[in-house]
Amino acid sequence: MHGPIDGTRRRALGALGAAALAPMLPVFAPAARAQPLPDRYTLRAAPARLSMLGATNPQTDLWVYNGRVPGPVLRVRQGERLRVDVVNDLPEATTVHWHGLRLPNAMDGVPHLTQPPIAAGGGRFTYEFACPDAGTFWYHPHLRGNVQVEMGLAGALIVEEPERLAVDRDVLWVLDDWRMQGDGQVSQDFGSMRDFMHDGRIGNTVTINGTLPDAFAVEAGERIRLRLLNVANARIFALRFEGHAPTVIAQDGMPCEPHATPGGRIVLGPGMRADVILDATGKPGERHRVIDDFFARQAYEVVTIAYDPRKRARARVAGPVPRLAANPVPEPDPGTAERHRIVFSGGMMGMMGGGGRGMMGGMPGMGAGTTGVWAINGHSSTETDHSHAPLLTLARGRSHVLELVNDTAWWHPIHLHGHSFRIVTRNGARDPRQPLVDTSLLPPRERAEIAFVADNPGDWMFHCHVLEHQASGMMATIRVA
Ligand code: C2O
Ligand code: CU
């Protein structure tokens, strides 16, 4: 591959198992400024056959950006403009959505709402926008996402802080979950009514950065900024770093008060991110497991943290966890906020009386989704419904509180485009940390209140990021005008 992408690839961080060894730093000196970043990227979406499952397994036919899975890490400095020329060499139309970015509506990548689909067979579209917030974001198609994201179209977008954080290494883990067949191919059972009605397309194969993870090599005493990004269609990860105590410094890209999580578990629904400081407090030669126990009875080891038996970065990890400067997100004023109630209903064990309109049939075999399985305030809509009448119209420039009510038996990561919001209460109790996020993971039958300033004009998608739920009715538009 030639062109601007080469610059990114050299800087790609965190390849698993790669001997990316930290320098022997006596203190956590901020890394020197990297080379200039490209001012323009190209993303070419196309089919590719890749050895995702390692040399001993068959190759996998995927749909990917720039020939690899996940797509290239795009990097831009905070406040600067990102320009991305997208070329669609897929057999079907696509778009690219910039998840978590507060960008102009026309660049949001939602088909029929903010742009026409990018046609198959060489269609092009250029996205160009400024990036006001530093942090860990990502990009993915917003057309038939349940198929296109599952087939491999996803990548990270890192907006760099003006000052590099004082860590030894900046590592990205793109976590994905696939439903693989024994022949090494992605199962093509898209549009299964079972997946739509339950917890989405849970797979059987978890990858980190597009490979089956084995060992994550560290040196004793290292301080690592680990950027965790869940691009799975449906799997919720709850990561426990045995023998370690990660500290969360950002959620969904937005800096937060550094904090430990209950039981050290980092819970990430689809679409969500966490930046953590992982201090390598173990000894040379030690091995520790990273466990995903979101489904307690199906807990499994995601990867092993493998300490170099000889090298040490320093005698011990020292000093307070570094903290990130806040992003320029306007603070909502709960006192003057307008209030809105949003009820999510439907799914298995909620089809009757849950507000859904009942089964509407659809064409499950087509994988395109179907309306009627899930509903938001009684309306079930999908991307094939191009009317996009807004669920709510919010007065621009004002604070708003949305009360999200999960009247279903399932978990839903509820995502709003174009804005970040604070989670102010959960089940009526004030959230002590009031995290600033773009996705709120709602447990079954629970409620949350989110607050934000509706400062970004346009029609914005508001949907569940379990892509099978989105494809079967759990999506809506919120207008800021
Ligand atoms: Cu990750 Cu509507 O998006
Ligand atoms: Cu959902």
Side-chain angles (χ1 to χ4, degrees), residues 97 99-100 110 138 140-142 271 415 417 461 463 465 467 470:
H97 167 60
H99 182 122
V110 179
W138 68 295
H140 63 81
H142 220 284
H415 173 50
H417 287 204
M461 294 303 308
H463 64 88
H465 222 289
L467 299 178
Q470 180 189 6

Side-chain angles (χ1 to χ4, degrees), residues 110-419:
V110 179
H112 307 293
L113 185 69
T114 69
Q115 69 169 91
I118 308 171
R124 289 171 177 264
F125 190 90
T126 297
Y127 294 91
E128 179 171 355
F129 48 86
C131 299
D133 303 315
T136 307
F137 302 96
W138 68 295
Y139 59 92
H140 63 81
H142 220 284
L143 187 51
R144 295 199 346 128
N146 61 313
V147 177
Q148 294 191 6
V149 175
E150 173 72 359
M151 287 300 289
L153 292 166
L157 167 59
I158 292 180
V159 184
E160 295 185 348
E161 295 89 18
E163 295 290 319
R164 284 291 199 84
L165 203 62
V167 293
D168 296 316
R169 272 197 289 163
D170 188 327
V171 175
L172 168 69
W173 285 5
V174 179
L175 297 154
D176 204 349
D177 171 44
W178 311 75
R179 188 175 291 171
M180 302 302 296
Q181 302 172 162
D183 62 358
Q185 299 304 324
V186 178
S187 166
Q188 297 294 305
D189 60 340
F190 296 107
S192 131
M193 197 50 72
R194 195 197 172 283
D195 291 341
F196 285 163
M197 294 174 68
H198 294 77
D199 49 5
R201 182 183 169 101
I202 303 291
N204 53 20
T205 304
V206 166
T207 57
I208 299 181
N209 299 340
T211 56
L212 291 179
D214 172 22
F216 174 56
V218 304
E219 285 179 26
E222 259 192 300
R223 172 163 276 175
I224 296 166
R225 175 184 189 166
L226 181 57
R227 301 173 188 257
L228 302 166
L229 156 60
N230 179 0
V231 305
N233 281 33
R235 183 179 290 280
I236 302 170
F237 291 91
L239 301 181
R240 272 195 302 113
F241 293 78
E242 289 184 343
H244 294 79
T247 302
V248 179
I249 58 167
Q251 287 177 267
D252 289 355
M254 294 293 163
C256 59
E257 192 67 24
H259 65 281
T261 54
R265 270 167 126 225
I266 311 288
V267 179
L268 289 174
M272 295 166 63
R273 290 87 67 212
D275 287 38
V276 304
I277 295 294
L278 184 68
D279 283 330
T281 47
K283 295 190 182 59
E286 282 184 4
R287 296 175 78 84
H288 297 271
R289 301 182 305 172
V290 180
I291 304 288
D292 170 13
D293 62 2
F294 180 77
F295 296 110
R297 283 179 309 178
Q298 286 148 41
Y300 64 98
E301 178 180 333
V302 178
V303 66
T304 302
I305 300 174
Y307 279 75
D308 188 295
R310 288 168 298 274
K311 291 210 192 81
R312 241 181 206 288
R314 62 181 58 70
R316 61 188 176 87
V317 192
V321 164
R323 127 190 338 250
L324 294 164
N327 282 323
V329 180
E331 277 302 328
D333 172 10
T336 62
E338 288 177 16
R339 300 182 55 86
H340 315 269
R341 184 176 157 93
I342 298 179
V343 180
F344 302 92
S345 60
M348 197 62 180
M349 294 175 282
M351 295 299 290
M352 297 295 142
R357 290 184 295 174
M359 303 291 292
M360 308 285 285
M363 301 278 281
M366 304 298 288
T370 182
T371 187
V373 177
W374 303 93
I376 304 181
N377 284 356
H379 295 283
S380 185
S381 80
T382 69
E383 66 193 12
T384 54
D385 158 18
H386 297 161
S387 62
H388 287 299
L391 169 78
L392 285 178
T393 298
L394 303 181
R396 183 181 174 189
R398 290 205 54 168
S399 294
H400 297 268
V401 171
L402 310 188
E403 183 188 14
L404 311 181
V405 180
N406 180 2
D407 192 16
T408 81
W410 305 93
W411 291 74
H412 304 290
I414 301 298
H415 173 50
L416 173 64
H417 287 204
H419 298 78

Side-chain angles (χ1 to χ4, degrees), residues 411-413 464 466 469 474:
W411 291 74
H412 304 290
C464 179
V466 170
H469 295 176
M474 208 177 233

Side-chain angles (χ1 to χ4, degrees), residues 64-152:
V64 297
Y65 294 113
N66 296 3
R68 55 206 164 118
V69 66
V73 181
L74 306 185
R75 287 182 174 263
V76 60
R77 294 220 176 82
Q78 182 174 17
E80 292 187 356
R81 291 183 84 73
L82 180 67
R83 287 179 201 82
V84 184
D85 298 308
V86 174
V87 183
N88 180 13
D89 284 326
L90 298 169
E92 63 184 48
T94 192
T95 63
V96 179
H97 167 60
W98 308 93
H99 182 122
L101 272 91
R102 299 187 301 126
L103 41 57
N105 192 248
M107 295 292 117
D108 199 40
V110 179
H112 307 293
L113 185 69
T114 69
Q115 69 169 91
I118 308 171
R124 289 171 177 264
F125 190 90
T126 297
Y127 294 91
E128 179 171 355
F129 48 86
C131 299
D133 303 315
T136 307
F137 302 96
W138 68 295
Y139 59 92
H140 63 81
H142 220 284
L143 187 51
R144 295 199 346 128
N146 61 313
V147 177
Q148 294 191 6
V149 175
E150 173 72 359
M151 287 300 289

